[in-house]
Amino acid sequence: MIDATLLPLQRRALSPVASVAAKRGIRADQITLTGFGLGVLGCLALCFGQFALGLILILLNRLLDGLDGAVARQTKPTERGAFLDIALDFVFYAMVPLGFALHDPAQNALPAAVLIAGFVGTGSSFLSFSTIAEKRGLSSEDYPSKGIYYLGGLTEGFETIALFVLICLFADYFPIFAYVFAAACAVTTLTRWRQGWVAFAPQPD
């Protein structure tokens, strides 16, 4: 919901670090893959109830998710990099609730499944819109630096990170947070469906 406001601040904050990384020959794809690996380890930590460690690894994943784009902009952004970034992000998002489900199936399995379904709704509507927008040559004014058409909504990156922080700090309340956020994801999905319905309406002859 507020990613468009925060992204310029993030770019300024990460620019010096990205500059150092680029000068040392560190590629954006390497950062993306390292971040994903840390995210996987974070989700494994959640499985074993190590929520503090899991939170640290999740935040490192999100930090590197921002850094890879900053490095790409200072070197040479590639379509492969944009693909890799978004593809791994969606897998990571699903793995976090999966970690909670595996930690305590009796309490967390159903809310985790509902939350993952919410993520599927937002992710599929996001990618479907982006695919058609690309075919039509549309660009997002709010997110000009993104490698694909970036469609906003009620639940974007910042809100998802806030959710992950809350469920790691207050793990016993995971079901409540999961159901509330899944409902917000449903709102995002419905609004994106409407945007696609309107934006991609057949043109009159």
Side-chain angles (χ1 to χ4, degrees):
M1 186 169 58
I2 61 173
D3 281 12
T5 302
L6 294 178
L7 282 174
L9 301 176
Q10 173 187 292
R11 284 196 292 268
R12 286 197 293 270
L14 293 177
S15 181
V17 180
S19 179
V20 172
K23 289 177 180 177
R24 293 188 176 183
I26 299 174
R27 300 193 305 272
D29 289 353
Q30 293 173 320
I31 298 173
T32 301
L33 292 170
T34 300
F36 181 70
L38 292 174
V40 171
L41 292 176
C43 296
L44 288 174
L46 299 179
C47 293
F48 293 100
Q50 300 298 315
F51 301 116
L53 175 60
L55 177 57
I56 292 171
L57 292 169
I58 287 170
L59 292 177
L60 287 173
N61 167 276
R62 294 295 83 200
L63 175 63
L64 294 184
D65 182 64
L67 183 60
D68 60 2
V71 170
R73 285 187 293 274
Q74 294 200 17
T75 52
K76 184 180 179 181
T78 65
E79 292 179 346
R80 184 181 70 178
F83 163 78
L84 190 66
D85 181 61
I86 196 69
L88 296 184
D89 271 355
F90 282 124
V91 174
F92 166 73
Y93 287 153
M95 289 181 64
V96 173
L98 177 61
F100 278 88
L102 293 175
H103 170 67
D104 188 348
Q107 173 177 277
N108 295 338
L110 179 58
V114 172
L115 179 57
I116 291 172
F119 286 159
V120 170
T122 57
S124 61
S125 58
F126 173 92
L127 293 175
S128 299
F129 193 101
S130 297
T131 300
I132 305 301
E134 178 69 22
K135 289 178 64 176
R136 293 198 173 195
L138 303 178
S139 59
S140 175
E141 295 180 0
D142 291 336
Y143 304 93
S145 64
K146 293 292 185 179
I148 61 175
Y149 191 104
Y150 198 90
L151 185 64
L154 181 62
T155 53
E156 297 179 351
F158 173 80
E159 291 79 20
T160 306
I161 295 171
L163 168 70
F164 291 165
V165 171
L166 287 173
I167 60 179
C168 288
L169 292 178
F170 307 100
D172 290 341
Y173 297 95
F174 171 80
I176 296 174
F177 289 125
Y179 286 132
V180 170
F181 200 81
C185 286
V187 173
T188 298
T189 301
L190 290 172
T191 57
R192 286 175 175 172
W193 284 353
R194 183 183 182 280
Q195 286 176 278
W197 181 268
V198 173
F200 305 138
Q203 299 298 318
D205 295 331

